[in-house]
């Protein structure tokens, strides 16, 4: 979901960081060293268009998922997206997070770019809470507010749980990276791990994530994200990932229409499907020269954040007009989902017209150059530090 990282020109040398690896002579230390010092997955001067295309399809899929209730055929159509959309977003976001943090000799809070998640999370939580209060007021009801859920676990809207969940998984990944560095970083890594355990436990126990195994799921996603980082560093690993990716995709389609075999995997299914789709995206080479289409492909994060507001507005308007579209058919899902996405794209274009709105609503930090005299401030439209 979160955008691809800008390429880094930092030269990565094994000798520079070797002293920071804990017990490099052990088997575990050697594995972590290879993961940490492999070249970054995105080093070219362009965004990965294949990843952007799949993210945009997944964002559209999230809109389709939230158009409920559905007819029987539409439910099968929805399952095609629910099987891969969120798992892919989690896996690819973790992959870029690990790839970015691994190349840093000493990760700092600012280098983690947590504001990319936290700033839009706060803004959209306020917006969706106010929308829900207004909706209940217009209906003559009082909104039951779960303050803890809204503040910490995305309770303001159905899709916002993803951001705290992603932060939880990133904390787990960061703790693993830091635990294999020098003693000072190991202490910080242990603290991060403890914080992740507490946050994941209370989130799961309170039902804020919608399921009760957030920590276990995080371990699975983080493990496979490290594995994908490791295997993508070698030609044979990339070839193997392509085979695994197509195999899992074929089994996923079989699962949607036949009910097996992936349903038997339980909570492991999501991370495995996320790994497969991410592997295919990473190894799919694609070039697009149309600037308008290229700009459209960067809208997946904004669509994910904004779509539920437009969905609520449309359904509220339909209800007042007496036009009940439910249960949604495949056709109505595609049409209404497409219209909602177009409204989101228009909204994104508007907020990107100013650096402050882009930062608040999308977490995109413009490259603002402040002159030494303090009199002239120029903004470059190029968005920095996407991940």
């Amino acid at each position: 979901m979160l955008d691809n990282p800008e390429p880094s020109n930092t030269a990565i040398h094994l000798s520079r960081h070797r002293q920071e690896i804990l017990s490099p002579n052990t088997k575990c230390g050697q594995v972590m060293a290879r993961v940490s010092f492999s070249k970054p997955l995105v080093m070219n001067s362009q965004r990965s268009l294949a990843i952007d295309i799949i993210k945009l399809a997944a964002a559209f899929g999230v809109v389709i998922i939230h158009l409920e209730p559905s007819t029987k055929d539409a439910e099968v159509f929805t399952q095609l997206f629910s099987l891969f959309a969120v798992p892919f977003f989690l896996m690819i976001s973790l992959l870029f997070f690990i790839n970015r943090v691994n190349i840093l000799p000493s990760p700092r809070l600012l280098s983690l770019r947590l504001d990319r998640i936290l700033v839009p999370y706060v803004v959209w939580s306020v917006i969706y809470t106010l929308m829900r209060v207004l909706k209940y007021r217009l209906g003559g009801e009082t909104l039951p507010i779960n303050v803890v859920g809204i503040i910490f676990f995305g309770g303001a809207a159905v899709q916002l749980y993803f951001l705290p969940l992603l932060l939880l998984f990133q904390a787990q990944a960061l703790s693993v990276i830091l635990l294999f560095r020098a003693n000072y970083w190991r202490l910080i890594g242990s603290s991060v791990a403890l914080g992740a355990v507490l946050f994941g436990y209370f989130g799961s126990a309170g039902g804020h994530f919608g399921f009760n195994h957030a920590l276990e799921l995080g371990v699975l996603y983080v493990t496979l994200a490290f594995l994908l980082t490791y295997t993508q560093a070698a030609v044979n690993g990339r070839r193997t990932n392509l085979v695994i990716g197509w195999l899992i995709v074929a089994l996923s389609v079989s699962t949607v229409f036949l009910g097996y075999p992936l349903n038997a995997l339980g909570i492991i299914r999501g991370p495995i499907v996320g790994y497969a789709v991410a592997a295919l995206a990473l190894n799919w080479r694609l070039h697009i020269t149309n600037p308008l289409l290229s700009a459209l492909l960067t809208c997946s994060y904004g669509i994910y954040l904004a779509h539920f507001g437009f969905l609520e507005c449309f359904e509220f308007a339909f209800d007042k007009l007496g036009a009940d579209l439910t249960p949604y058919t495949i056709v109505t899902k595609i049409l209404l989902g497409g219209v909602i996405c177009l409204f989101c794209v228009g909204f994104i274009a508007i907020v990107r017209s100013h650096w402050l709105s882009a930062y608040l609503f999308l977490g995109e930090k413009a490259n603002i150059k402040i002159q030494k005299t303090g009199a002239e401030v120029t903004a470059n439209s190029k968005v920095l530090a996407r991940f």
Side-chain angles (χ1 to χ4, degrees), residues 39 43 48 51 100 118 136 163 173 187 204 215 222 226 233 254 257 263 294 309 318 341 343-344:
K39 68 177 183 179
M43 291 295 291
S48 173
I51 293 176
R100 186 177 68 254
L118 291 176
Y136 272 75
L163 298 182
L187 179 60
S204 296
L215 286 172
V222 170
F226 273 111
S254 172
F257 291 99
N263 280 344
S294 297
F318 289 145
C341 287
F343 270 80
C344 290

Side-chain angles (χ1 to χ4, degrees), residues 87-358:
F88 171 71
F89 280 142
L90 286 169
M91 186 61 66
I92 206 69
S93 298
L94 274 175
L95 188 78
F96 285 136
F97 177 81
I98 292 171
N99 185 54
R100 186 177 68 254
V101 174
N102 265 341
I103 66 175
L104 300 174
S106 55
R108 304 298 180 186
L109 190 61
L110 289 177
S111 64
L112 299 180
R113 278 305 318 272
L114 298 181
D115 59 332
R116 180 78 165 107
I117 298 175
L118 291 176
V119 172
Y121 174 76
V122 171
V123 171
W124 285 104
S125 292
V126 172
I127 291 174
Y128 282 126
T129 300
L130 293 177
M131 285 183 63
R132 292 177 63 193
V133 169
L134 178 61
K135 180 180 178 180
Y136 272 75
R137 286 285 182 89
L138 292 176
E141 303 177 37
T142 302
L143 174 66
I145 296 180
N146 183 342
V147 177
V148 173
I150 291 176
I151 294 177
F152 296 104
F153 300 103
V158 67
Q159 85 280 20
L160 289 185
Y161 81 94
F162 174 87
L163 298 182
L165 187 67
L166 178 59
L167 285 175
L168 170 63
F169 292 178
Q170 287 182 347
Q172 290 176 296
L174 178 62
S175 65
V176 172
I177 293 172
L178 297 181
L179 286 172
F180 283 88
R181 294 196 173 185
N183 290 336
Y184 170 75
W185 293 110
R186 290 173 61 191
L187 179 60
I188 296 179
S190 300
S191 301
V192 172
L194 177 60
V197 169
L198 293 175
F199 184 77
Y201 171 78
F202 286 113
S204 296
H208 297 294
F209 295 125
F211 47 85
N212 298 321
H213 44 261
L215 286 172
E216 298 91 326
L217 198 62
V219 171
L220 293 171
Y221 271 103
V222 170
T223 301
L224 290 180
F226 273 111
L227 179 62
L228 187 55
T229 304
Y230 178 82
T231 54
Q232 280 293 119
V235 174
N236 289 336
R238 293 193 289 272
R239 291 172 179 170
T240 302
N241 282 335
L242 276 173
V243 174
I244 293 175
W246 285 118
L247 176 61
I248 297 300
V249 166
L251 293 177
S252 299
V253 174
S254 172
T255 300
V256 170
F257 291 99
L258 302 178
Y260 62 87
L262 295 187
N263 280 344
L265 297 179
I267 66 170
I268 304 177
R269 185 186 70 177
I272 289 179
V273 173
Y275 181 100
V277 180
L280 292 177
L282 288 168
N283 293 289
W284 179 19
R285 297 293 176 260
L286 184 67
H287 299 283
I288 296 178
T289 57
N290 188 309
L292 187 61
L293 183 57
S294 297
L296 176 64
L297 293 177
T298 67
C299 293
S300 57
Y301 188 35
I303 291 174
Y304 188 93
L305 292 171
H307 79 273
F308 194 69
F310 289 107
L311 172 58
E312 287 283 284
C313 291
F314 275 112
E315 290 188 338
F316 182 78
F318 289 145
D319 180 64
K320 292 301 179 181
L321 294 173
D324 188 7
L325 299 181
T326 58
Y328 292 104
T329 64
I330 295 177
V331 174
T332 53
K333 277 201 166 196
I334 292 176
L335 291 177
L336 184 55
V339 170
I340 290 173
C341 287
L342 287 177
F343 270 80
C344 290
V345 170
F347 172 79
I348 293 167
I350 293 172
V351 300
R352 280 179 172 170
S353 63
H354 192 274
W355 68 268
L356 181 59
S357 58

